[in-house]
Amino acid sequence: MSDSCAENAAKGTENELTEEVEATKLLETSADPATQEVEGVEEYLKRKNMVLLDYEKQMFLDLVEADGLLVCAKGLSYDRVVISILKAYSDSGNLVVVINSSDWEEQYYKSKIEPKYLHEVASTATERERVYLEGGLQFISTRILVVDLLKQRVPIELISGIIVLRAHTIIESCQEAFALRLFRQKNKTGFVKAFSSSPEAFTIGYSHVERTMRNLFVKHLYIWPRFHESVRAVLQPWKIQSIEMHVPISQNITSIQSHILEIMNFLVQEIKRINRTVDMEAVTVENCVTKTFHKILQAQLDCIWHQLNSQTKLIVADLKILRSLMISTMYHDAVSAYAFMKRYRSTEYALSNSGWTLLDAAEQIFKLSRQRVFNGQQEFEPEPCPKWQTLTDLLTKEIPGDMRRSRRSEQQPKVLILCQDARTCHQLKQYLTQGGPRFLLQQALQHEVPVGKLSDNYAKESQTRVAPPKNVSSNKELRREEVSGSQPPSAGMDELAQLLSESETEGQHFEESYMLTMTQSVEVGPATIDIKPDPDVSIFETIPELEQFDVTAALASVPHQPYICLQTFKTEREGSMALEHMLEQLQPHYIVMYNMNVTAIRQLEVFEARRRLPPADRMKVYFLIHARTVEEQAYLTSLRREKAAFEFIIDTKSKMVIPKYQDGKTDEAFLLLKNYDDEPTDENAKSRQAGGQAPQAPKETPKVIVDMREFRSDLPCLIHKRGLEVLPLTITIGDYILTPEICVERKSISDLIGSLNSGRLYNQCVQMQRHYAKPILLIEFDQNKPFHLQGKFMLSQQTSMANADIVQKLQLLTLHFPKLRLIWSPSPYATAQLFEELKLGKPEPDPQTAAALGSDEPTAGEQLHFNSGIYDFLLRLPGVHTRNIHGLLRKGGSLRQLLLRSQKELEELLQSQESAKLLYDILHVAHLPEKDEVAGSTALLAASKQFGAGSHNRFRMAAAASRRGRR
């Protein structure tokens, strides 16, 4: 359980604190004069209809008093604090911008704010300028905000403040940090308030907390862990009634788990033995079974992936596969787990893995997985999931009996079952509506497991239950329609990301919520419960109102029958707020935690603290746990990690040195940025100018024209941080214009490969060379990846032939475009520094000229005075190159005149005897065909004989007639 839930289970049933004691404590605290301000705030919150818990009020007070970064534990949601701050600034005289919010967060906050203070982001720039001046609250994408700030469409001085969500993702080069820097440079009075609920993210990297606060321009750090005294004081009096139910697992599952852990331990030792010089501290068996293992491993090995040998890469892939096998054994049904296990007993996989399938433990895993489905006589008799029977007993015996004992018989019993994912949710729904035997047989048919002969015990239960009910089939059709609209996974991932991807396409057709009721009435009054466990007659059925996600209508449709809701911890549409939304709508009496989740448990605690009900009316929470298994270990590991993360942040805060100017409200915070206007001149320069009497023109800030599409990358942010002025513009040629002569086309490695294969890069280079004297192709690597082109890593598992093909295309590119310069940059930071050095002493680019180049309509400022088609044609002729083509275009006249010139005249035009000879020969001398051309001519003659000898004569006659017509 969570920190408090674990204590509850250990202590058992303790005496609850009464409401009178709590009221006495509140009276004692209110007697303190220091709380007078708090009372005023409470009156304000009451007037604004904002109900906050005590620790949420303290969060609100802290952030209203001073800007800062708030880090809270998972489940102790800061959403109500954000809503309170938004309501406090909801006024047409204020302009508050909310950035870095997810789609479901944006929809949730908008639903809680009065519509008159909300303004939708307009599509046009003129409309956005008008909307900004109207004030209110703006939820806007950071890329649009950055461009509007650079183009001064936003009245920066009038912005009241910026609220940053998911602050742990703010790094120095991201768009959010760029927007905050632009805001703080011109607005010294507005507020910046940042929120995060991921303490573990702040432990990754060097000084992550300090760097995040520096990027946010805040000086205060507010830490709210679950073990905070204020949080415990709020949640302890209203603690939930928790009941742990330790569900034993079968001997087969225990043995499979032990063997998988044994193989994992062997592979971990092997990977450390092979790579003695690499830091493999995070690669442990304990981390291998956690959900975030692939993220830990990817962060550890990304930079050195190309240096690892093939055996290490196979072991990394096999560790991920073994974790999937562990999850399948623990959470999926026996038939699905066996079908999943069979994939890795094929000859193809045996030849491509690290060798774990040859171990004795692997043989035992395959053998035991089959024993879970077939009995000793090889008859189909799958064992049910261990938690199924316990769940059925809860729904049919324990909960009705508890309602009878607590005198809730007149109320409609409402049960909420929480699962970890949509697949488990679907599994329970099928089990409750169809029965276990029929569901397992259906799974066998679906996964193409050869059923063969049914056992005698199983045949009676499943022979009459093959066809699914109508309500189930309609739900399946609905799910299939949803799948058709889902997007396929992106194909641009590198090898390690693909290797460690956790997405399972099989789970996409499962829904995240189901609503069920009972078809057989369960007496909860004085009469005894008598339900015969008939597997052919299910006592549960679905409620069709779920298709519209209308809980109120679903409850009204079954007013006196038990109501059961299956829900995942978080949904794709509402995120982690889905559970809180369901609790408020459903107001359940009983919660069944089918799987363990820290965030969900704390959400239940907070929900109960808000209701403030007496102990008898509080909801009961049943925890179904496999004790001393991987499930329990993964839960305890997540708790330990969060606690260690908070201890690290608290320790960092105690040692952290924060300069006074970090909030950006003085110009000292931006002194590290180069200010070209204030550069001091040395004394020697003054002496050469008659003691400095000659007036000096102020140095202009260097400008870089950036294409609007490039604001998806980190480079514009880093260019601005180096003191260069960024001019956003829609340009058709190049991505960055540094000077009137230098144009840069930036390509990442994946984009470079795609552009070379499609031919798009060739056309881009043609345009750059035509309009700019110094075109540059910038090949930029990811700063988190190795600066390395060769190898399978960068080419996404392509063969060496494809690698050689890319290099050959790059060589052809340099041969076709002699003026093109290739620059290899290891990271965006190096690129920003390079741009600054390339601009030293160079004139500034003109935005109007850059925008006009490449457009269909030529403008007065366009430098190209020749027909581009003729220019490209002449450039392909032998003897004509970029150094002499301009003289040839100016003095050569037309192509007819060029044909009439002698070789000596061509020599004068091209300023080269060799070039003149090459050009004269190609225009006047008849060339003999090559061997392959001769073979092609022979084939053409044979074809002409086949189609008739007169065909060529007809063409010749038509050509002669056209010549006579022209004369």
Side-chain angles (χ1 to χ4, degrees):
M1 310 322 91
S2 67
D3 307 359
S4 67
C5 289
E7 294 173 5
N8 296 345
K11 294 178 182 177
T13 55
E14 294 181 349
N15 294 327
E16 303 289 342
L17 293 176
T18 61
E19 294 185 18
E20 289 78 14
V21 174
E22 183 65 21
T24 306
K25 282 190 175 183
L26 292 174
L27 289 173
E28 290 174 358
T29 54
S30 63
D32 189 356
T35 59
Q36 293 179 359
E37 181 185 355
V38 179
E39 292 176 357
V41 172
E42 288 183 356
E43 293 176 1
Y44 170 78
L45 293 174
K46 200 171 189 180
R47 190 173 72 252
K48 287 282 188 178
N49 195 22
M50 293 183 282
V51 181
L52 300 179
L53 298 175
D54 289 345
Y55 72 87
E56 292 176 331
K57 291 176 186 174
Q58 189 59 45
M59 290 180 183
F60 177 74
L61 284 172
D62 291 341
L63 285 170
V64 168
E65 182 182 353
D67 297 352
L69 167 63
L70 185 144
V71 182
C72 68
K74 293 178 180 178
L76 304 181
S77 177
Y78 55 72
D79 298 311
R80 290 177 183 262
V81 180
V82 175
I83 292 171
S84 302
I85 293 176
L86 291 176
K87 286 184 176 180
Y89 287 96
S90 293
D91 190 86
S92 57
N94 295 322
L95 175 58
V96 178
V97 179
V98 183
I99 60 176
N100 203 30
S101 62
S102 60
D103 293 338
W104 61 266
E105 284 178 318
E106 180 178 340
Q107 295 301 323
Y108 173 72
Y109 292 135
K110 284 182 177 180
S111 66
K112 301 294 182 180
I113 306 296
E114 294 184 41
K116 64 179 180 179
Y117 298 123
L118 290 170
H119 298 289
E120 296 295 331
V121 180
S123 56
T124 62
T126 308
E127 188 69 16
R128 284 202 303 272
E129 287 186 41
R130 183 188 63 79
V131 171
Y132 288 137
L133 293 173
E134 290 181 358
L137 306 176
Q138 288 274 348
F139 290 84
I140 188 170
S141 68
T142 318
R143 189 167 67 90
I144 295 176
L145 179 62
V146 165
V147 173
D148 288 347
L149 288 171
L150 289 171
K151 286 185 170 289
Q152 298 182 352
R153 295 173 183 154
V154 188
I156 302 178
E157 296 80 4
L158 302 180
I159 295 179
S160 303
I162 296 179
I163 294 177
V164 185
L165 304 179
R166 298 185 296 170
H168 54 275
T169 62
I170 306 299
I171 58 175
E172 186 180 33
S173 60
C174 69
Q175 298 292 333
E176 288 76 20
F178 193 5
L180 290 169
R181 194 183 319 122
L182 293 170
F183 163 72
R184 199 43 106 194
Q185 278 182 338
K186 295 185 179 180
N187 189 322
K188 308 295 183 184
T189 58
F191 64 80
V192 176
K193 306 185 189 302
F195 299 85
S196 174
S197 60
S198 180
E200 291 96 335
F202 291 100
T203 62
I204 301 173
Y206 178 72
S207 301
H208 195 160
V209 181
E210 295 96 315
R211 287 188 284 114
T212 303
M213 294 177 64
R214 195 181 311 124
N215 296 330
L216 292 168
F217 294 98
V218 296
K219 295 196 296 184
H220 299 279
L221 177 62
Y222 305 109
I223 308 170
W224 288 91
R226 173 61 181 81
F227 54 81
H228 195 289
E229 189 61 36
S230 301
V231 178
R232 296 179 66 178
V234 170
L235 300 183
Q236 186 69 19
W238 315 101
K239 59 185 178 183
I240 57 178
Q241 303 180 54
S242 59
I243 302 172
E244 284 192 24
M245 305 187 72
H246 292 276
V247 182
I249 58 177
S250 66
Q251 184 59 40
N252 287 338
I253 297 180
T254 305
S255 302
I256 292 174
Q257 175 183 280
S258 302
H259 290 310
I260 292 178
L261 289 175
E262 180 184 343
I263 297 174
M264 278 186 167
N265 186 50
F266 170 75
L267 294 181
V268 166
Q269 299 299 326
E270 189 70 11
I271 199 173
K272 290 183 177 180
R273 183 188 64 80
I274 297 173
N275 305 277
R276 296 184 184 275
T277 58
V278 181
D279 181 18
M280 294 285 181
E281 184 180 354
V283 184
T284 61
V285 177
E286 182 183 6
N287 287 338
C288 286
V289 299
T290 57
K291 189 176 182 180
T292 57
F293 169 65
H294 65 289
K295 295 180 181 178
I296 298 172
L297 201 60
Q298 191 165 0
Q300 193 99 11
L301 301 178
D302 236 346
C303 297
I304 57 169
W305 184 251
H306 67 291
Q307 299 175 2
L308 301 177
N309 58 17
S310 58
Q311 182 68 10
T312 303
K313 295 178 181 180
L314 290 175
I315 291 176
V316 170
D318 290 342
L319 283 174
K320 188 252 181 182
I321 289 172
L322 287 168
R323 181 179 174 273
S324 301
L325 295 177
M326 179 80 74
I327 292 173
S328 179
T329 304
M330 293 297 299
Y331 299 121
H332 300 167
D333 57 273
V335 177
S336 300
Y338 173 63
F340 185 61
M341 202 82 68
K342 280 178 62 180
R343 299 182 191 175
Y344 302 104
R345 211 181 182 187
S346 62
T347 307
E348 294 79 7
Y349 180 73
L351 296 174
S352 62
N353 65 16
S354 60
W356 69 271
T357 52
L358 303 177
L359 300 175
D360 294 339
E363 187 63 30
Q364 290 296 319
I365 290 173
F366 297 132
K367 180 181 177 182
L368 292 169
S369 298
R370 181 175 178 81
Q371 288 180 5
R372 293 184 64 202
V373 180
F374 299 95
N375 58 17
Q377 288 76 33
Q378 299 303 312
E379 297 174 335
F380 184 75
E381 189 178 1
E383 65 179 38
C385 291
K387 292 183 180 180
W388 283 359
Q389 187 59 43
T390 307
L391 179 64
T392 304
D393 293 342
L394 272 177
L395 296 177
T396 58
K397 298 177 182 178
E398 177 69 24
I399 291 177
D402 183 77
M403 292 194 69
R404 186 178 66 252
R405 290 190 297 270
S406 59
R407 298 178 182 178
R408 292 182 184 173
S409 57
E410 297 180 358
Q411 300 179 4
Q412 179 187 15
K414 291 175 285 189
V415 182
L416 177 61
I417 304 174
L418 296 177
C419 311
Q420 65 177 357
D421 55 14
R423 181 177 186 135
T424 308
C425 201
H426 172 75
Q427 178 198 101
L428 291 181
K429 178 253 181 183
Q430 296 292 91
Y431 165 70
L432 292 174
T433 55
Q434 303 176 11
R438 182 186 168 279
F439 170 66
L440 291 174
L441 181 59
Q442 196 177 49
Q443 289 295 103
L445 298 176
Q446 179 181 348
H447 293 290
E448 298 181 356
V449 175
V451 175
K453 182 182 178 182
L454 301 179
S455 67
D456 296 337
N457 297 331
Y458 191 83
K460 297 178 181 179
E461 300 173 351
S462 58
Q463 61 185 356
T464 60
R465 304 300 302 269
V466 176
K470 293 182 181 180
N471 54 1
V472 177
S473 62
S474 63
N475 285 338
K476 282 190 175 182
E477 292 172 5
L478 175 69
R479 287 194 292 276
R480 287 198 188 100
E481 292 174 3
E482 293 178 352
V483 173
S484 62
S486 61
Q487 297 181 352
S490 60
M493 294 189 297
D494 57 69
E495 183 182 358
L496 183 58
Q498 290 176 351
L499 197 66
L500 300 174
S501 174
E502 287 294 307
S503 61
E504 292 187 7
T505 56
E506 294 179 0
Q508 290 180 357
H509 64 281
F510 301 136
E511 290 186 12
E512 297 164 324
S513 297
Y514 296 98
M515 296 183 181
L516 308 177
T517 187
M518 288 189 177
T519 55
Q520 298 179 7
S521 60
V522 179
E523 297 293 337
V524 294
T528 58
I529 303 172
D530 186 15
I531 296 181
K532 296 181 180 179
D534 185 2
D536 289 342
V537 182
S538 174
I539 63 172
F540 299 98
E541 67 178 6
T542 58
I543 300 178
E545 280 75 11
L546 174 69
E547 297 180 6
Q548 287 76 34
F549 292 94
D550 191 350
V551 178
T552 307
L555 290 173
S557 64
V558 283
H560 303 295
Q561 295 178 350
Y563 180 84
I564 300 165
C565 179
L566 298 169
Q567 170 86 32
T568 53
F569 293 128
K570 59 181 181 180
T571 62
E572 188 175 343
R573 190 173 65 168
E574 294 182 287
S576 58
M577 294 302 301
L579 176 56
E580 184 177 338
H581 186 241
M582 179 60 72
L583 290 172
E584 291 175 354
Q585 281 192 308
L586 184 60
Q587 296 288 328
H589 303 116
Y590 301 93
I591 305 284
V592 179
M593 295 285 291
Y594 193 80
N595 303 114
M596 304 303 299
N597 185 273
V598 178
T599 306
I601 293 172
R602 289 174 182 163
Q603 284 179 305
L604 297 178
E605 290 181 305
V606 173
F607 175 72
E608 199 60 77
R610 293 191 200 283
R611 295 202 301 176
R612 292 176 171 264
L613 296 177
D617 295 336
R618 295 176 196 166
M619 59 186 180
K620 275 192 175 181
V621 181
Y622 295 92
F623 297 98
L624 304 186
I625 311 174
H626 295 311
R628 295 182 296 278
T629 61
V630 172
E631 180 186 30
E632 186 182 33
Q633 182 60 42
Y635 173 75
L636 295 176
T637 301
S638 62
L639 273 181
R640 179 184 57 79
R641 271 199 193 149
E642 187 190 66
K643 183 179 179 182
F646 270 116
E647 290 174 350
F648 172 79
I649 296 174
I650 293 169
D651 182 63
T652 303
K653 182 180 179 180
S654 64
K655 302 175 182 177
M656 197 162 42
V657 178
I658 301 176
K660 289 183 179 180
Y661 57 79
Q662 183 164 302
D663 56 3
K665 296 185 178 179
T666 60
D667 290 332
E668 295 179 65
F670 302 99
L671 288 179
L672 293 178
L673 299 178
K674 287 195 175 182
N675 194 341
Y676 291 85
D677 296 335
D678 301 332
E679 283 189 356
T681 56
D682 57 0
E683 296 298 327
N684 294 331
K686 288 185 178 181
S687 64
R688 289 195 298 271
Q689 297 172 358
Q693 296 177 10
Q696 280 190 338
K699 291 190 176 182
E700 187 180 2
T701 304
K703 298 179 178 60
V704 176
I705 297 176
V706 182
D707 187 25
M708 293 285 238
R709 293 175 288 272
E710 279 297 302
F711 280 92
R712 296 185 180 93
S713 66
D714 298 340
L715 188 53
C717 174
L718 297 174
I719 291 174
H720 182 270
K721 187 160 188 183
R722 296 195 70 86
L724 279 69
E725 184 179 349
V726 176
L727 301 177
L729 199 66
T730 302
I731 53 179
T732 57
I733 300 175
D735 294 327
Y736 299 86
I737 311 298
L738 305 185
T739 69
E741 294 183 342
I742 300 178
C743 173
V744 180
E745 179 72 27
R746 188 188 70 89
K747 295 289 183 185
S748 62
I749 294 298
S750 58
D751 195 16
L752 173 71
I753 296 171
S755 300
L756 283 173
N757 291 332
S758 65
R760 188 175 76 251
L761 182 57
Y762 179 86
N763 298 327
Q764 292 171 336
C765 291
V766 168
Q767 294 291 328
M768 285 197 298
Q769 183 168 275
R770 181 180 298 160
H771 295 278
Y772 290 95
K774 298 176 181 177
I776 294 176
L777 174 62
L778 171 71
I779 302 173
E780 189 177 81
F781 288 74
D782 189 351
Q783 58 187 346
N784 298 320
K785 300 288 194 314
F787 187 42
H788 182 79
L789 178 64
Q790 273 75 26
K792 295 181 180 179
F793 173 68
M794 279 304 171
L795 297 177
S796 302
Q797 293 182 325
Q798 296 293 328
T799 61
S800 58
M801 289 298 293
N803 187 7
D805 185 41
I806 296 300
V807 176
Q808 290 171 5
K809 288 179 180 177
L810 278 177
Q811 293 171 349
L812 286 174
L813 198 69
T814 56
L815 291 174
H816 277 85
F817 304 101
K819 291 198 301 183
L820 183 68
R821 298 291 178 262
L822 265 63
I823 295 180
W824 303 82
S825 176
S827 69
Y829 292 88
T831 305
Q833 181 181 355
L834 178 68
F835 282 4
E836 183 184 12
E837 294 172 355
L838 287 173
K839 284 188 62 62
L840 288 177
K842 302 291 193 307
E844 299 302 328
D846 182 19
Q848 293 182 353
T849 305
L853 291 179
S855 59
D856 295 334
E857 298 180 2
T859 61
E862 193 167 357
Q863 298 294 321
L864 190 64
H865 301 290
F866 310 109
N867 188 327
S868 59
I870 299 296
Y871 182 91
D872 293 338
F873 171 74
L874 288 178
L875 204 58
R876 286 173 171 80
L877 293 177
V880 182
H881 46 75
T882 54
R883 294 180 182 177
N884 57 25
I885 189 173
H886 293 282
L888 185 63
L889 287 168
R890 283 195 302 270
K891 302 176 182 178
S894 65
L895 188 60
R896 181 184 293 274
Q897 294 174 1
L898 193 64
L899 288 169
L900 297 176
R901 291 183 183 272
S902 64
Q903 184 174 341
K904 193 162 185 72
E905 290 174 335
L906 290 177
E907 184 179 336
E908 294 177 0
L909 284 176
L910 301 178
Q911 301 293 322
S912 170
Q913 183 178 358
E914 184 181 356
S915 298
K917 186 176 186 309
L918 289 171
L919 181 59
Y920 186 83
D921 289 347
I922 197 67
L923 294 176
H924 297 280
V925 178
H927 292 270
L928 293 175
E930 299 290 340
K931 290 183 179 181
D932 54 347
E933 294 179 1
V934 173
S937 302
T938 306
L940 184 62
L941 288 173
S944 66
K945 293 178 181 178
Q946 179 181 357
F947 290 108
S951 58
H952 286 288
N953 294 331
R954 287 198 300 271
F955 286 124
R956 291 194 189 101
M957 291 169 59
S962 64
R963 282 198 297 271
R964 286 195 299 269
R966 285 198 297 270
R967 290 174 185 170

